[in-house]
Amino acid sequence: MGLFGKKNIFLGIDFGASSIKVVELTFKNQRPELTNYGYAPVPDGAQRGEVLAAILKKMKPRTRAAYVALPGSSGLVTLIAFPQMSHAELAQAVSFEARKHIPVPLEEVNVSWDVVAQDKDLTQTDAQNAQNTQDVHAQQAQPQKSQPQQKEGSIYVLLVAAPRKDVAEYESYIAQASVNLHALELETFSLVRALVGEDMGRFLIADIGAHSTNIILVEKGVIRANRNVGIGGANITHSIVEALGLDVQRAEAYKHEQSDLLSEKGVARQSVDMIVEEMRRVGTSHGTAMADNIIITGGGSNLKGIDSYIGRALGTSVALGNPWARITVDDAVARYAEALRGTYTVAVGLALRGVEEYRRS
Ligand SMILES: Nc1ncnc2c1ncn2[C@@H]1O[C@H](COP(=O)(O)OP(=O)(O)OP(=O)(O)O)[C@@H](O)[C@H]1O
Ligand SMILES: [Mg+2]
């Protein structure tokens, strides 16, 4: 805390596969407000730290407090149920289970875990614990703070793992751009924070990026299932290149303009169908009916007609995620923000973490 009290300004930085997005939120009048933003594509072979430095030079943000995301494909988020046991037993059981879920030697990953719910109905959630679980730049597994209550039913542990080399890579980009890393989390958490917030309903989120789609099932504020599929908007562009013989730039422009890419013989069909299949799998992964709230976001969610197409395929309505729903946005930038709402979701979720920490402190 400085001489002038707590800083109420936060930067969310999303290193996407195709572009870097930055959002500055200021908490004032009891509400977060969008006070600055920046965006730049990352051309093949570009140095991400340099691209970020260039964005910040233009933006001139009023804070260096950065909240940063690792791509969902980089890490693993998994919910594991254990029978009731003591804290010491649980710590042992989690590290044993972690070996089964994590496909590389444990020395190569940062692992953290926390009890996020008790009971088979996931009735008790502990937001504070869930918060601890999100960090991936801690050096080792964080011990759980509170003793789980002894009672019937399961203990739900959320296990989070990210490769140390990826963490180090992102830390180096941040250092290069001279910002202070306040937290590094998997984008899965940023997406949930931006789109679900405190809502206790059942949500299926699909963040359709350039090269991958991150699919998350959330219930009562807890991530129940998460899967990353290696299909995104770039696959659709590639299909256009192949079908029409356009170069990548023209194919990209064509994709933005056309409204029939999901028609019966539409060129986007194959990629979107694969995304839909994964959404169906994750959405019903607990043997239950499809989630009530289906939200798509990411640049790929801007494809014309994709929301109604996915809705028809899954037999339910699909909403375009709106990360600005709980944020004050000035009229002067409202149209820009609206047009790019899918693009900024992760960055908004990250900056909102700063807001949440500020409000709690
Ligand atoms: N208006 C549009 N219509 C169709 N596709 C679009 C539109 N705008 C953006 N896209 C696509 O969205 C994708 C980029 O989305 P986004 O910025 O969310 O990805 P990213 O975060 O860089 O990648 P990833 O999440 O895979 O790391 C690109 O494939 C782009 O072509
Ligand atoms: Mg992305």
Side-chain angles (χ1 to χ4, degrees), residues 14-19 21 71-72 187 191 207-210 212 298-299 342-343 346:
D14 171 19
F15 289 97
S18 62
S19 59
K21 301 93 170 167
E187 66 175 11
L191 286 160
D207 172 19
I208 308 169
S212 65
T343 302
V346 170

Side-chain angles (χ1 to χ4, degrees), residues 142-153:
Q142 297 177 353
Q144 174 212 348
K145 291 205 178 77
S146 57
Q147 196 84 355
Q149 291 163 17
Q150 287 303 320
K151 53 197 274 195
E152 292 300 307

Side-chain angles (χ1 to χ4, degrees), residues 199-349:
D199 197 313
M200 290 289 117
R202 209 157 168 264
F203 292 84
L204 184 70
I205 299 171
D207 172 19
I208 308 169
H211 296 293
S212 65
T213 297
N214 190 1
I215 305 171
I216 313 158
L217 179 66
V218 187
E219 192 177 356
K220 294 187 177 156
V222 173
I223 295 172
R224 302 288 316 246
N226 176 217
R227 193 176 302 163
N228 231 272
V229 279
I231 300 163
N235 297 74
I236 301 173
T237 307
H238 185 70
S239 302
I240 297 171
V241 168
E242 297 229 304
L244 303 181
L246 300 176
D247 62 30
V248 172
Q249 221 176 343
R250 291 223 173 105
E252 184 72 31
Y254 182 84
K255 178 174 78 170
H256 288 226
E257 285 156 17
Q258 297 296 310
S259 53
D260 63 346
L261 299 183
L262 288 163
S263 63
E264 208 174 324
K265 292 208 169 88
V267 75
R269 262 305 251 279
Q270 198 186 9
S271 301
V272 176
D273 282 348
M274 284 195 264
I275 292 170
V276 167
E277 272 330 296
E278 286 301 321
M279 287 176 74
R280 198 193 308 280
R281 226 169 274 170
V282 176
T284 57
S285 56
H286 290 272
T288 47
M290 185 50 84
D292 323 310
N293 305 292
I294 303 189
I295 302 177
I296 57 171
T297 189
S301 71
N302 293 319
L303 186 77
K304 291 193 174 84
I306 193 170
D307 47 344
S308 50
Y309 181 82
I310 295 178
R312 275 198 304 280
L314 295 177
T316 177
S317 65
V318 169
L320 291 172
N322 181 12
W324 312 116
R326 283 165 285 125
I327 289 164
T328 305
V329 179
D330 193 280
D331 286 348
V333 292
R335 275 178 64 181
Y336 170 86
E338 169 61 23
L340 286 174
R341 61 185 187 173
T343 302
Y344 280 106
T345 306
V346 170
V348 169

Side-chain angles (χ1 to χ4, degrees), residues 9-10 23-26 28 33-37 62 328:
I9 312 169
F10 312 94
V23 161
E24 180 194 279
L25 294 182
T26 303
K28 57 182 183 201
E33 180 179 335
L34 175 67
T35 43
N36 205 341
Y37 55 84
R62 290 176 302 143
T328 305

